[in-house]
Amino acid sequence: MTYNVHRCVGVDGKLSPGRIAEVIAETGADVVALQELDVRRARSGGVDQAEAIARELGMGNIHFHPALKVMEEEYGDAIITALPSTVIKAGALPGVERRPQIEPRGAIWTRIELDGAPVDVVNTHFGLRRWERRAQARCLLGSEWLGRADPTVPMVLAGDFNSFPRGTVCGMIRQHLRDAHQLGSPKRRRPRRTFPSNFPVFRIDHIFISRQISVVSADTHRSLLSRAASDHLPLVADLTIDR
């Protein structure tokens, strides 16, 4: 699953990490990429949202990367799972240091052990400006990140890319990875949109996969709870690894 949780504030204005955990539990997802998490921030009651969500789900492995850090307060992205996992890399993506009003962006890359074999999972959240997203895509696909990945290890790249499927950024990524949502949608139906959750008109959350992975199904998760819990709908893909 990839899920922008909007710091656990729903479209109704309610702050609730527990509600986000309930949405995830509805899907049964066992690897979850989360964006826009608050950790120890005063505005969210000082809660470590990544830890709170993972605890509710019984997922003991929490890998968090703060895209933004001010004193003890952090804001960023996480991968949570009950499966054995380790972090390969976590860090910032390009922005503009001279324009501090632009939200910093980052990515986190974990290696998950599935039935004794490795699977790489990368979670990211791209910026709102076109030039920003393109620079971030070039960086993420380059030699510092996925360009140095082991080609024998299956790869999943997930997140909120703030980019439409036919946009330049998604096109750059599709030169290396396949669109799981497109592959896993029912025949004769376009992949469903993810934002905003109460009336989705944009497909900006994506899951991309390497050639060693097959898609059983992929779709947004729509329920009364998911429509309220965040301003994005979660995207869930049922994947199998081709050994």
Side-chain angles (χ1 to χ4, degrees), residues 67-114:
L68 173 67
K69 185 171 183 178
V70 180
M71 302 296 286
E72 295 300 315
E73 295 192 12
E74 296 178 333
Y75 170 81
D77 314 309
I79 296 171
I80 62 173
T81 181
L83 297 168
S85 55
T86 56
V87 174
I88 292 180
K89 182 178 174 70
L93 295 177
V96 179
E97 294 180 1
R98 290 172 296 177
R99 298 176 68 180
Q101 73 276 17
I102 295 179
E103 181 180 318
R105 307 290 176 165
I108 182 167
W109 177 358
T110 63
R111 178 159 291 175
I112 292 172
E113 185 179 319
L114 182 64

Side-chain angles (χ1 to χ4, degrees), residues 114-166:
L114 182 64
D115 299 328
V119 179
D120 285 351
V121 178
V122 179
N123 178 24
T124 192
H125 186 191
F126 282 4
L128 297 175
R129 295 157 182 82
R130 182 182 303 172
W131 56 263
E132 187 184 4
R133 292 192 297 272
R134 291 178 180 178
Q136 289 158 0
R138 284 193 295 270
C139 178
L140 193 61
L141 295 169
S143 59
E144 294 183 5
W145 285 88
L146 302 192
R148 68 180 181 90
D150 183 342
T152 67
V153 177
M155 169 69 71
V156 178
L157 170 61
D160 175 0
F161 294 85
N162 277 309
S163 180
F164 303 142
R166 295 186 181 181

Side-chain angles (χ1 to χ4, degrees), residues 171-189:
M172 293 167 66
I173 296 171
R174 283 198 304 271
Q175 293 179 28
H176 304 269
L177 301 167
R178 300 176 299 149
D179 183 342
H181 196 179
Q182 181 74 52
L183 293 170
S185 292
K187 292 181 180 179
R188 297 183 296 279
R189 199 196 77 190

